Amino acid sequence: MLTLSQKDSASTQDVGSSCQDGLEAECPRKPDLKQSKIYGVGDPTTILSSESSCLSSRGRVVKWFWDSAEEGYRTFHMDEYDEDRNPSGIINLGTSENKLCFDLLSWRLSQSDMLRIEPSLLQYPDWKGHLFLREEVAKFLSFYCKSPAPLKPENVVVLNGCASLFSALATVLCEAGDALLIPTPYYGAITQHVCLYGNVRLVSVYLDSEVTGQDTRPFQLTVEKLEMALQGANSEGVKVRGLILINPQNPLGDIYSPRELQEFLGFAKRHELHVIMDEVYMLSVFEDSIKYHSVLSLEGLPDPQRTHVMWATSKDFGMSGMRFGTLYTENQHVATAVASLCRYHSLSGLVQYQMAQLLQDYDWINHVYLPANHARLKAAHTYVSEELRVLGIPFLSRGAGFFIWIDLRKYLRKSTYEEEMLLWRRFLDNKVLLSFGKAFECKEPGWFRVIFSDKVHRLRLGMQRIRQVLEGKSQDAPPCQPQQLSD
């Protein structure tokens, strides 16, 4: 990720028994954050070098992301695990994909109603997307987001995935060099999405694992923290144009309550900031006791002209390869500007037709797909959670998304990102790919994201390889006294 204004190390101390709300297991170590900055401003120019002189400065930034940010993913694809052909290959517990429902999806996508070819599907569409698809998206979001009033097709724009949506929105909402606020840790690829095309920076709102009272939770976002980060960026002459919120949050799994959403949207309205809401995991809440609220379910948005909602089938339907994403915005200037960029990011007419057929099949979605998907996600999450408890690894457990945010700080000799990277490479050398905390701009070195949305034989082997690394590392690690934290 881009170099940010933060220190690589901090002093540590034991967390008291007040830790709660899903941070489980033993002895997490907490940096003393009182004197550290609450924000960091990304600066793409810090990663430029004299190499690749045939490229423009923009081209060198693009190449740097490829060379460094995707290292683990490329390594995995060169040595991918296969039960029969490559059983010693790399198990990928780092890429957030749902691999649990291929049987259901392959059946549905192979039905006769999915197979249609007509002239309009082979020709240039309206760049917002075919009207028949935008109508189905509006109905789908109205139903599953529980909007107070029916959503309108004219407010829908269809692109090939949320990566394109982030790029397009950053480009049309910000000037080059402007910035967007984003709470950390966050899905790190967003840095690339907003930077590579639009040359837009991110101002990280640093959250930490400290729990200060009964009503607080680890990595909790508050309006106060947003205000402090915005003021800090402004003091450095950085123009902040908007706020990015991910709900459910990646990698934490947090779900914002309606009250929190209203507070964050109210903050944005006071400062005339756009809000980009990423709700790509909204149907992947698998714990029955957890209630998810889309921003589109709120009675009266504080600033509807500056609120832009993203969703895609990549996560909730395990179809990241189909590249379908959609934007809902009541701001027609934004919708038109994003649609103009769709000539570079559109879907084929055949895929648009398939997506419309899928999204209108509420009977299959509600009675076949979602119940099975939630049950399988919950079972996989339970298995990995129990394995982590046996290993004595603290983690955040939220009941949404495909990931568990685990605390491996006690396995670092020093609280630095260099030590975090060394541990990550030990996992990769032992043929298991995880995602390290710096990739999410986590301010505390030693946190990792583990993906559990995979078949049990791969999860079992992946957890065995994680155990091997940690057992080997723990022989040299500083001692840590066990301490159980409440759920």
Side-chain angles (χ1 to χ4, degrees), residues 91-107:
I91 297 288
N92 185 359
L93 302 183
T95 304
S96 186
E97 292 182 300
N98 186 348
K99 300 176 182 177
L100 295 172
C101 293
F102 177 77
D103 57 330
L104 304 177
L105 293 165
S106 62
W107 178 86

Side-chain angles (χ1 to χ4, degrees), residues 369-384:
Y369 179 76
L370 286 181
N373 186 40
H374 290 166
R376 295 176 188 184
L377 284 172
K378 186 171 184 177
H381 177 270
T382 299
Y383 170 76
V384 174

